[in-house]
Amino acid sequence: MNPWVSYQNGNYRVIINTENGTKIRENDLDYFEASTIESTDLKITNCCDMGCPMCHENSYPDGKHADLFAPSFLDTLHPYTEIAIGGGNPLSHPNLLKFLLQCKDKQWIPSMTVNQIHFEKHFDFIKQLVDAHLIYGLGISLVSVTPQFIDKVQQIPNAVIHVIAGIVHEFQLTQLKDNNLKILI
């Protein structure tokens, strides 16, 4: 299967490699003028059991789930739109799998961000989603570094460990070093 997909967006062509996330925009002009969005963030739930003090989503254990199938702006998205799925804990949404199957049917390119605790707890399910090309990228919010965590992250080709400057400790970054991992600070 060819990992490269492309579409016209206004006066430029967008080319995306779905295996590694490379995105190219090209035209013969000095500027890009889009006619539609290329990507969107989608908070699918406000439910999360973590209670992280640094969470900017203000999610909580009895937070509400979004109705992913009600008419919405999603109906206007074109094939190969990148969708960054988050929450709360997106893994807690009862219709996550059904929604990801819809994304695949519509040829959208979903990625997802989860907390490390949820990543490790639901690793087998997440790995199945990645292997079935139902999610293409995975952001993992770091809690603590262990050899088991590093091993699991290395099994997800497009995993990116998310850390917050001022909260992550230097020794955690040192533990992640030299493991061929992607880190977003």
Side-chain angles (χ1 to χ4, degrees):
M1 180 173 144
N2 183 0
W4 291 97
V5 297
S6 67
Y7 62 93
Q8 190 70 29
N9 189 0
N11 72 354
Y12 62 96
R13 184 143 213 74
V14 178
I15 305 163
I16 302 171
N17 183 310
T18 59
E19 284 183 2
N20 64 25
T22 298
K23 180 189 265 189
I24 301 167
R25 296 177 187 93
E26 63 182 10
N27 68 17
D28 293 331
L29 304 171
D30 292 335
Y31 66 97
F32 295 137
E33 187 172 309
S35 61
T36 188
I37 66 167
E38 294 180 16
S39 64
T40 187
D41 288 345
L42 186 65
K43 181 177 179 176
I44 66 170
T45 185
N46 202 36
C47 179
C48 184
D49 59 354
M50 294 300 299
C52 300
M54 75 293 284
C55 180
H56 66 281
E57 295 294 344
N58 198 26
S59 296
Y60 43 91
D62 59 346
K64 303 275 188 250
H65 299 300
D67 181 351
L68 298 173
F69 304 103
S72 73
F73 81 98
L74 292 173
D75 300 326
T76 68
L77 299 180
H78 59 85
Y80 312 124
T81 299
E82 297 168 274
I83 301 176
I85 299 169
N89 172 15
L91 296 167
S92 71
H93 197 294
N95 290 318
L96 175 63
L97 182 58
K98 181 179 175 185
F99 178 68
L100 292 173
L101 290 167
Q102 175 183 312
C103 290
K104 187 170 188 167
D105 183 55
K106 294 185 178 276
Q107 297 180 297
W108 297 333
I109 304 172
S111 62
M112 189 166 55
T113 299
V114 297
N115 182 283
Q116 177 185 342
I117 303 299
H118 297 136
F119 168 72
E120 291 181 306
K121 182 177 179 181
H122 301 283
F123 176 77
D124 292 336
F125 177 64
I126 291 170
K127 182 87 168 80
Q128 289 173 352
L129 296 176
V130 170
D131 291 346
H133 302 288
L134 293 176
I135 58 172
Y136 291 86
L138 182 69
I140 307 162
S141 299
L142 182 69
V143 175
S144 65
V145 181
T146 66
Q148 296 82 7
F149 171 67
I150 291 172
D151 178 63
K152 283 181 166 67
V153 173
Q154 290 173 330
Q155 295 179 53
I156 308 293
N158 289 325
V160 178
I161 299 170
H162 294 191
V163 299
I164 301 173
I167 293 177
V168 66
H169 299 283
E170 185 178 347
F171 74 89
Q172 291 173 304
L173 295 175
T174 301
Q175 290 174 301
L176 294 171
K177 186 175 102 172
D178 298 326
N179 286 293
N180 198 29
L181 301 170
K182 298 173 194 161
I183 301 171
L184 172 67
I185 300 175

